[in-house]
Amino acid sequence: MTVLTTNTNTNTTARTIAVPNPDPTAQTSAPVCPVTGHTAPPAAPLAAPRITPPAPPAPPAPAAPFTERYLLDPAVNADPYGYLNSLRDHDPVYWSAMHRAWLVTGHAQLMHCLRAPAVSAERVRPLMDAVPEGAREDAERAFGILSRWMVFNDAPQHRRLRQVFQEQFAARSIGRYRAFVERATRAMLTRRAVPGRIGDLVADIARPLPALVFARWLGVPQAHGPSFWYWNARVGDLVLGAAQEEREYRTSLQSLVNLDDYLADLVKQRRADPKDDLISAVLAGGQIGKSVSEEEFVGMLTQMAFAGGETTSNLIVNAVLALLEHPDQLAAVREDPSLVPMAVEEAMRFDGPSKMSIRTAARDFDLDGRSVRAEDRLFLVTAAANRDPSRFAHPDTFDVRRGSASHLGFGFGAHFCIGAAFARLVAGAVIDVLVREYPGLELLDGRHTWQPSLLNRALTALPVRY
């Protein structure tokens, strides 16, 4: 708002108008109004201007007291960012008696944890401890498989396991599949997302497309897809904590064993008859059976199979939701599709598919002045660190032109997500086709339901009009 101020004492020309004086004895020094003929009262003598001292500034309003909330509270699970911001502002390294863990929410503090040798990724034992007593007899082999996942290992084991896949997951290798991913994306959208039709973006494209692409890359025959992805979903229930009852644990544990058996057989087939797929390419590298055992290789393939669908699916949904809820940003990407890769990165920062990762303290260490003890759990809350105002300007704003500011959505350092290039390729392909070829894409009214999870940020459905 612009305020215009007029100073009537500036740039004004005085005019003298002669008026007959009826009383020759009267003083004529007082000015006479030319309209009424009345004499104005004598002017007050000039006095020093009165200066009123400015009022002292009001004291700042007292900050609202911080109240801890359960991270799986339905309201926090549905929209965690307001609470996570207040938690980070209150204390970026907060001991939560409620969660029996350190909640690390500051960007700098979380980066320190991702670099620190004292912070361990080995966390299979806590998963084992959560299994109901009645399901323990089924758990031994399943948790042996999990112990071979690289994400549950520290250096030097982690480095030894990861190097087997490093070349195949590099961006230049993933790029070989770009044409296939784009064809598969367009074909799936053509079948399931007819313009003007109402649908669910999760079921129509975000869930089946990464599964299709990853199964093709891994070498899983299309006919085996339903069983393969059922087992993966049940493994997710175990790893992400969705399994709660004894029956659910038994199903998840058996699914992990079934998945391991299936992939072990597939590895044997590819040794005998190599194909153009990930398993054949890694076997051709000559490290399986030398630096890494075949049992370890198969165990890591179960991790790849689980991660290849879940994370990428959630990234697609969250990115499309953010664009549709910010029409100006969607318009910018439509006007300049070269912004698609930046939109994917900003979605990873703004509302990524993972809210946190869990670590344990391998030994006592100091974190931002706090004494962390050996065996303490640490929740590394990337969803909060990615909105830390000390690292990101206007962190609660979704901005596809934000640029190269590094987010922690894919992790950092030794445990940086090995599948990042795959997720970027598939999510980027979906968003590119949607923004170019679906000008009528819009959200339908209604509440969005988020899966209850400490770790994942996943919608159960995203109703849209294509």
Side-chain angles (χ1 to χ4, degrees), residues 81-111:
Y81 296 104
Y83 172 68
L84 292 179
N85 286 348
S86 65
L87 171 60
R88 186 192 56 243
D89 294 344
H90 171 70
D91 189 349
V93 179
Y94 177 80
W95 171 253
S96 168
M98 182 181 295
H99 298 89
R100 292 179 295 173
W102 293 97
L103 307 185
V104 184
T105 52
H107 189 279
Q109 293 83 359
L110 199 150
M111 286 280 284

Side-chain angles (χ1 to χ4, degrees), residues 14 278 311 367:
L278 173 64
T311 302
L367 177 60

Side-chain angles (χ1 to χ4, degrees), residues 178 181-182 185-186 189 209-210 312 315-317 319-320 323 333 337-345 347-348 410 420-436:
R178 181 174 299 279
V181 171
E182 291 172 350
T185 300
R186 191 165 274 105
L189 282 168
L209 181 68
T312 306
L315 171 57
I316 291 169
V317 176
V320 172
L323 286 166
V333 178
S338 70
L339 291 174
V340 166
M342 294 172 65
V344 171
E345 297 304 313
M348 285 294 300
F410 288 120
F422 174 83
R424 285 165 168 154
L425 173 62
V426 178
V430 174
I431 293 170
D432 186 67
V433 174
L434 286 175
V435 300
R436 288 176 186 265

Side-chain angles (χ1 to χ4, degrees), residues 361-421:
R363 58 179 180 272
D364 294 357
F365 73 101
D366 180 84
L367 177 60
D368 204 36
R370 308 299 193 278
S371 295
V372 179
R373 302 302 184 194
E375 303 298 323
D376 282 356
R377 287 197 306 169
L378 298 103
F379 289 1
L380 307 187
V381 191
T382 49
N386 278 336
R387 294 199 183 197
D388 189 336
S390 70
R391 182 64 184 84
F392 303 98
H394 310 293
D396 294 319
T397 299
F398 179 71
D399 181 4
V400 298
R401 293 190 174 91
R402 184 172 294 274
S404 60
S406 59
H407 60 76
L408 297 173
F410 288 120
F412 178 82
H415 283 274
F416 182 83
C417 176
I418 196 170

Side-chain angles (χ1 to χ4, degrees), residues 27-38:
Q27 295 181 354
T28 59
S29 58
V32 177
C33 173
V35 177
T36 64
H38 296 162

Side-chain angles (χ1 to χ4, degrees), residues 173-423:
S173 297
I174 296 292
R176 294 175 47 227
Y177 293 89
R178 181 174 299 279
F180 168 72
V181 171
E182 291 172 350
R183 287 196 307 271
T185 300
R186 191 165 274 105
M188 190 170 286
L189 282 168
T190 299
R191 291 195 309 272
R192 301 179 177 221
V194 178
R197 170 181 170 269
I198 290 174
D200 171 17
L201 192 82
V202 174
D204 292 341
I205 187 72
R207 188 173 292 142
L209 181 68
L212 170 71
V213 173
F214 193 81
R216 161 68 179 81
W217 184 34
L218 194 60
V220 175
Q222 189 171 355
H224 300 169
S227 296
F228 181 78
W229 290 111
Y230 171 79
W231 294 329
N232 270 281
R234 301 291 74 76
V235 171
D237 293 343
L238 174 67
V239 174
L240 299 175
Q244 298 294 321
E245 299 177 1
E246 181 178 321
R247 176 184 54 83
E248 294 171 330
Y249 271 103
R250 287 184 181 275
T251 299
S252 293
L253 294 167
Q254 186 58 52
S255 293
L256 180 54
V257 169
N258 291 344
L259 183 62
D260 191 74
D261 286 341
Y262 175 81
L263 289 168
D265 185 63
L266 195 59
V267 169
K268 290 177 183 176
Q269 293 178 39
R270 292 299 177 263
R271 277 200 182 278
D273 183 18
K275 305 289 186 184
D276 179 20
D277 56 34
L278 173 64
I279 292 175
S280 300
V282 174
L283 289 173
Q287 296 186 65
I288 305 306
K290 296 180 180 177
S291 63
V292 169
S293 71
E294 189 154 316
E295 185 181 44
E296 288 175 320
F297 177 47
V298 173
M300 285 191 293
L301 288 174
T302 65
Q303 177 199 329
M304 300 297 177
F306 160 70
E310 178 76 16
T311 302
T312 306
S313 171
N314 295 339
L315 171 57
I316 291 169
V317 176
N318 295 4
V320 172
L321 175 63
L323 286 166
L324 293 177
E325 288 186 330
H326 298 84
D328 59 325
Q329 300 301 299
L330 177 59
V333 178
R334 281 187 168 140
E335 183 178 345
D336 181 7
S338 70
L339 291 174
V340 166
M342 294 172 65
V344 171
E345 297 304 313
E346 177 67 347
M348 285 294 300
R349 183 200 69 82
F350 181 75
D351 195 11
S354 174
K355 291 186 287 191
M356 70 174 74
S357 59
I358 298 176
R359 298 287 193 271
T360 57
R363 58 179 180 272
D364 294 357
F365 73 101
D366 180 84
L367 177 60
D368 204 36
R370 308 299 193 278
S371 295
V372 179
R373 302 302 184 194
E375 303 298 323
D376 282 356
R377 287 197 306 169
L378 298 103
F379 289 1
L380 307 187
V381 191
T382 49
N386 278 336
R387 294 199 183 197
D388 189 336
S390 70
R391 182 64 184 84
F392 303 98
H394 310 293
D396 294 319
T397 299
F398 179 71
D399 181 4
V400 298
R401 293 190 174 91
R402 184 172 294 274
S404 60
S406 59
H407 60 76
L408 297 173
F410 288 120
F412 178 82
H415 283 274
F416 182 83
C417 176
I418 196 170
F422 174 83

